[in-house]
Amino acid sequence: MDDEILFVIHSYKFTTDYEFMNDAVSVVGLGKLGLGLALCFASSGVETLGVDVKEDVVDAINNGKTPIVEPEYQELIDELGEKFRATNNHAEAIEKTDITFILVATPSIGDGRFSNRYVKSALKSLSEAFGKSKKPYHLFVISSTVVPGSTEKTFIPLIEQYSGRKYKKDFDVCFDPDFVALGSVAKDFRNPDLVIIGESRPEAGDKVEALHKKMCHNQPKIARMSLISAEVAKVSLNAYITMKISFANTIANLCERIPGTDVDAITSAIGVDKRISPYYLRGGLAFGGTCFPRDTKAFMTISQQYNLSPILMESVERVNVVQNKHLAETVKSFMTKEKKISVLGVAFKDKTPVVEASPAVSLIQELVIDDVDVTIYDPLAMESAQTLFDDEISYSASIEDCLNSSPVCVLTLMSKDYKEAIERFVPKEKLTVIDCWRQIDADKLHKNINLLAIGRFNDLQNGDDQK
Ligand SMILES: NC(=O)c1ccc[n+]([C@@H]2O[C@H](COP(=O)([O-])OP(=O)(O)OC[C@H]3O[C@@H](n4cnc5c(N)ncnc54)[C@H](O)[C@@H]3O)[C@@H](O)[C@H]2O)c1
């Protein structure tokens, strides 16, 4: 009997909860990821409002221009026209939409943790507006990467404090991490392998799941779990990938020393085994960018918080540092007396201007310290490179100019355009090209070009005695 009463009370509670009016969403933080998420929601037919504190970001979007360099962003803005709008007023997100995704930056703060200050500031503005609003319910979805535990320990109490509303009654919270890569953000949002949803209540998770299903062009695995499990899952996935990259790099280094070996032959074979899989198993350069290095650190931090020694991730981090040094040593070993090196690609990967933790930046830094005359080319990352290196290096206007500038050129990006330009290039003098991802077809090269492929045994590198 008691059970029956409880069941009735339980059902009543949920059926009288606020019914979502139209499932309009707002995305707070229109940066590299947030703008992509907002555009993908909007183009899948979800009524979407973008929110950002930066006036220039809001103005650019409302004037039909993407403030972020990412494939598809401009095309989506053109396609959507007036169907997608941005504002800097957080109250509009509360009044006009029922679900708000928060995707602001969570910068690293040195000790392996991320700062929650932008998430807190966004939630404070939203919660104050929610407190003043007559709307009975709102769903807050945290998508920024946070140190596990942040949602329950910090964000939920903060929403309660500034809104005066009650958790699981007036509002719910989900943690919905993104597994997208810069350079293909819009594509990845619509075609994920996996969607992880941490939820305060199943009803809230259902809403987020429905939105993903609407946006996805594929049918990803949707994994629903507690808020804290989702937070740990986010950093675990990236930590695993960095471990895999480091393993592939270890094989690549070995192959450079063992006559007759080729890292691609090995990784493409072992990657077929389902226990391994072929992705992120291409030896070459260290991992970089805005996510992998810091998620690895975050995994270490959380381990330490729970008195576990993070030996595995510490090793991954060490392997990565060594991989950067290995590239610098290899490049320097080919330097002529002129001490001139050109570098094609400064960003951490192709099709993005992001230079954070880029192996190319680490290489250039090492060369500059050694007074090497460095010339670079990377149109997307030119501005960031100038901020980092100013007049310490030279900047080319084309791939060809860059190749002409030095007797040794390093190709750091995995890019068809760069590969084809090098294969077409006719050098004025002898040139050594160091191909970090083994893309270039040696048979297509001009006879004055020597090719050295990272991760492959090479006579150039090992000398005749090891042939
Ligand atoms: N970059 C990646 O590859 C990647 C991948 C997965 C997850 N993430 C995570 O996604 C989050 C966002 O990263 P990003 O690279 O898009 O950041 P970003 O710096 O490119 O963009 C953040 C945006 O948030 C805005 N903002 C800051 N405070 C605000 C506030 N109070 N209200 C409204 N807008 C505000 C900023 O003006 C900026 O436009 C981070 O937590 C990051 O770790 C990033």
Side-chain angles (χ1 to χ4, degrees):
M1 181 65 181
D2 282 355
D3 279 355
E4 263 175 44
I5 292 169
L6 268 178
F7 175 70
V8 171
I9 293 169
H10 191 74
S11 319
Y12 178 72
K13 182 174 175 301
F14 287 133
T15 50
T16 54
D17 270 349
Y18 169 69
E19 286 296 320
F20 287 85
M21 303 282 287
N22 55 9
D23 284 348
V25 304
S26 39
V27 178
V28 175
L30 300 173
K32 297 182 283 300
L33 260 70
L35 180 57
L37 181 67
L39 291 170
C40 289
F41 275 143
S43 77
S44 66
V46 177
E47 205 181 308
T48 309
L49 176 70
V51 184
D52 203 287
V53 280
K54 288 188 192 147
E55 300 249 347
D56 54 337
V57 167
V58 170
D59 288 347
I61 293 167
N62 291 339
N63 289 320
K65 292 264 172 291
T66 177
I68 301 286
V69 181
E70 253 296 315
E72 294 190 63
Y73 282 16
Q74 188 57 55
E75 289 80 353
L76 284 166
I77 288 179
D78 292 343
E79 237 169 77
L80 287 162
E82 299 200 338
K83 280 193 214 140
F84 176 62
R85 201 176 62 76
T87 176
N88 52 22
N89 181 4
H90 294 75
E92 258 196 80
I94 295 293
E95 290 308 328
K96 296 193 172 146
T97 76
D98 307 309
I99 306 174
T100 301
F101 285 75
I102 293 111
L103 194 37
V104 296
T106 45
S108 300
I109 45 177
D111 58 355
R113 288 182 300 131
F114 313 144
S115 163
N116 285 333
R117 70 178 188 277
Y118 298 118
V119 181
K120 289 199 301 198
S121 158
L123 283 176
K124 182 172 177 280
S125 308
L126 291 163
S127 306
E128 282 172 346
F130 184 40
K132 287 180 198 148
S133 165
K134 288 199 170 58
K135 283 185 88 171
Y137 182 86
H138 203 81
L139 172 56
F140 297 87
V141 185
I142 314 293
S143 273
S144 296
T145 306
V146 299
V147 170
S150 300
T151 304
E152 276 165 319
K153 280 193 210 136
T154 308
F155 303 147
I156 292 167
L158 186 147
I159 301 171
E160 283 191 315
Q161 182 192 343
Y162 287 99
S163 68
R165 302 292 192 94
K166 219 169 158 26
Y167 177 48
K168 294 197 195 184
K169 179 176 171 290
D170 304 323
F171 72 92
D172 277 293
V173 176
C174 286
F175 181 75
D176 180 21
D178 302 313
F179 299 107
V180 300
L182 294 180
S184 55
V185 175
K187 180 169 160 261
D188 295 349
F189 269 131
R190 291 153 147 180
N191 300 281
D193 289 337
L194 166 73
V195 171
I196 287 181
I197 302 171
E199 57 201 33
S200 52
R201 288 190 303 164
E203 290 73 5
D206 287 347
K207 290 286 164 196
V208 178
E209 176 169 343
L211 280 168
H212 276 287
K213 282 187 169 155
K214 217 166 174 183
M215 180 171 69
C216 286
H217 292 182
N218 63 346
Q219 290 183 321
K221 156 93 184 152
I222 298 194
R224 308 260 301 256
M225 57 190 76
S226 69
L227 291 164
I228 180 77
S229 289
E231 289 170 333
V232 175
K234 162 65 187 171
V235 289
S236 302
L237 189 136
N238 279 355
Y240 188 88
I241 295 173
T242 61
M243 190 178 77
K244 207 171 162 187
I245 293 170
S246 297
F247 186 74
N249 283 341
T250 304
I251 303 176
N253 296 348
L254 205 55
C255 288
E256 286 176 10
R257 299 282 146 210
I258 307 177
T261 54
D262 178 344
V263 63
D264 295 323
I266 297 167
T267 55
S268 62
I270 66 174
V272 169
D273 190 310
K274 283 196 193 69
R275 292 168 298 181
I276 295 179
S277 103
Y279 306 104
Y280 290 94
L281 196 64
R282 181 168 176 161
L285 298 187
F287 57 82
T290 51
C291 277
F292 287 153
R294 69 196 210 106
D295 289 1
T296 306
K297 271 204 166 24
F299 196 89
M300 283 156 57
T301 306
I302 180 127
S303 307
Q304 281 156 344
Q305 270 170 11
Y306 289 89
N307 295 324
L308 285 170
S309 176
I311 36 179
L312 184 59
M313 286 301 121
E314 275 169 2
S315 305
V316 166
E317 213 182 30
R318 268 216 314 275
V319 168
N320 213 43
V321 170
V322 168
Q323 197 66 14
N324 274 330
K325 289 212 174 305
H326 173 64
L327 176 67
E329 277 158 21
T330 307
V331 172
K332 281 188 215 166
S333 72
F334 283 91
M335 202 157 58
T336 62
K337 278 195 222 103
E338 282 176 272
K339 288 189 89 168
K340 279 181 159 188
I341 303 278
S342 54
V343 181
L344 285 172
V346 180
F348 83 101
K349 64 182 286 204
D350 192 28
K351 294 196 174 68
T352 171
V354 172
V355 297
E356 266 118 314
S358 163
V361 168
S362 155
L363 168 68
I364 297 165
Q365 276 163 344
E366 287 270 336
L367 296 173
V368 167
I369 290 170
D370 266 11
D371 287 326
V372 177
D373 191 348
V374 180
T375 304
I376 63 133
Y377 177 73
D378 186 337
L380 287 184
M382 207 58 110
E383 226 179 283
S384 312
Q386 266 159 348
T387 311
L388 283 175
F389 297 109
D390 196 16
D391 59 4
E392 287 183 309
I393 60 171
S394 308
Y395 304 87
S396 284
S398 67
I399 297 178
E400 290 72 21
D401 279 356
C402 196
L403 287 163
N404 269 325
S405 69
S406 317
V408 178
C409 179
V410 190
L411 172 60
T412 66
L413 294 178
M414 218 185 284
S415 153
K416 196 165 165 264
D417 293 344
Y418 285 81
K419 161 194 155 65
E420 288 175 357
I422 295 171
E423 286 169 352
R424 280 194 306 267
F425 185 64
V426 180
K428 292 183 188 137
E429 294 172 22
K430 284 256 178 231
L431 172 69
T432 299
V433 171
I434 301 177
D435 179 5
C436 298
W437 296 106
R438 302 166 302 282
Q439 308 162 84
I440 295 169
D441 183 345
D443 294 339
K444 292 188 178 159
L445 288 179
H446 188 274
K447 61 177 177 6
N448 281 350
I449 302 180
N450 285 323
L451 181 66
L452 175 87
I454 295 285
R456 201 175 275 159
F457 181 82
N458 195 302
D459 299 342
L460 286 177
Q461 201 175 6
N462 287 290
D464 286 349
D465 55 326
Q466 292 198 40
K467 260 192 249 176

